[in-house]
Amino acid sequence: LFRAQTGYLMRYEQDLRGGLSDDLFSEFELLPYIREIFKAEGWTRIVWIPYKRGYEKGWYLAKDDPESGERITDTIPFMRPFALTKSSSYKGRGYPNIALIFFDEFMPENKLYLPNEFSAFNSIISTIRRDRTYVKVIMSANAIDKNCLYFYDFGISKALEQEISSISLYTVKDI
């Protein structure tokens, strides 16, 4: 059974602590969308499972059993977490179902990047992607840093012209 998954990329593994992982999909505004997207399977929400026998760390689709009221959790993660600080630990593993990688806060507000961050980023992307050309990467940030190392390393010069508080989309064609 192939079900496309998402990779959730962050800078530090500890970014999953302190409630972020539990709260990522807890916004009540998302519930109607989750129910609509997954209505054929009956999933109604997404839950974080950090460690549980028989489950890998990640976010899972879930629903309530109509008879018992107990939570039923899917056996395949909807989204898997990845951290730049652990890039070498993912080598040698396969992630054949990941079709989308979402890099949250790729421009840190404090402007502090990891040593060799771009190498760690490329390592994780190549480990997940392999030779599958359909895997997409979305990089999202609240802060705007015109000296962002990703702009430099990807050769995105249009970001230097972007107006503050504007939203822009850059694709490989823009590079």
Side-chain angles (χ1 to χ4, degrees), residues 83-97:
L84 290 175
T85 55
K86 295 192 65 169
S87 63
S88 61
S89 68
Y90 306 118
K91 290 288 182 195
R93 297 183 190 178
Y95 303 99
N97 294 340

Side-chain angles (χ1 to χ4, degrees), residues 110-171:
N110 62 10
K111 300 182 183 180
L112 297 176
Y113 294 92
L114 300 171
N116 301 315
E117 179 164 324
F118 195 69
S119 294
F121 170 79
N122 279 323
S123 175
I124 290 174
I125 299 305
S126 65
T127 295
I128 294 171
R129 189 172 182 256
R130 305 277 182 197
D131 59 353
R132 295 175 292 126
T133 57
Y134 60 84
V135 176
K136 304 289 183 217
V137 179
I138 296 174
M139 300 169 77
S140 172
N142 291 323
I144 298 294
D145 177 9
K146 293 192 180 215
N147 297 312
C148 172
L149 71 92
Y150 291 95
F151 294 158
Y152 175 76
D153 287 329
F154 282 131
I156 301 175
S157 59
K158 288 185 179 184
L160 300 174
E161 302 162 9
Q162 183 174 334
E163 292 183 35
I164 294 176
S165 299
S166 65
I167 297 173
S168 296
L169 174 67
Y170 300 102
T171 66

Side-chain angles (χ1 to χ4, degrees), residues 30-83:
L30 290 176
L31 289 177
Y33 297 107
I34 293 168
R35 289 184 177 127
E36 180 63 27
I37 292 167
F38 300 107
K39 69 180 173 187
E41 296 91 3
W43 305 116
T44 57
R45 62 183 181 272
I46 297 171
V47 297
W48 166 250
I49 298 180
Y51 301 101
K52 184 177 178 182
R53 186 180 184 103
Y55 287 88
E56 298 176 59
K57 184 183 344 183
W59 289 269
Y60 289 77
L61 296 167
K63 59 185 171 185
D64 293 327
D65 183 294
E67 293 177 18
S68 69
E70 291 184 30
R71 183 174 75 188
I72 299 170
T73 304
D74 196 2
T75 57
I76 302 167
F78 164 76
M79 187 163 70
R80 297 172 176 266
F82 294 89

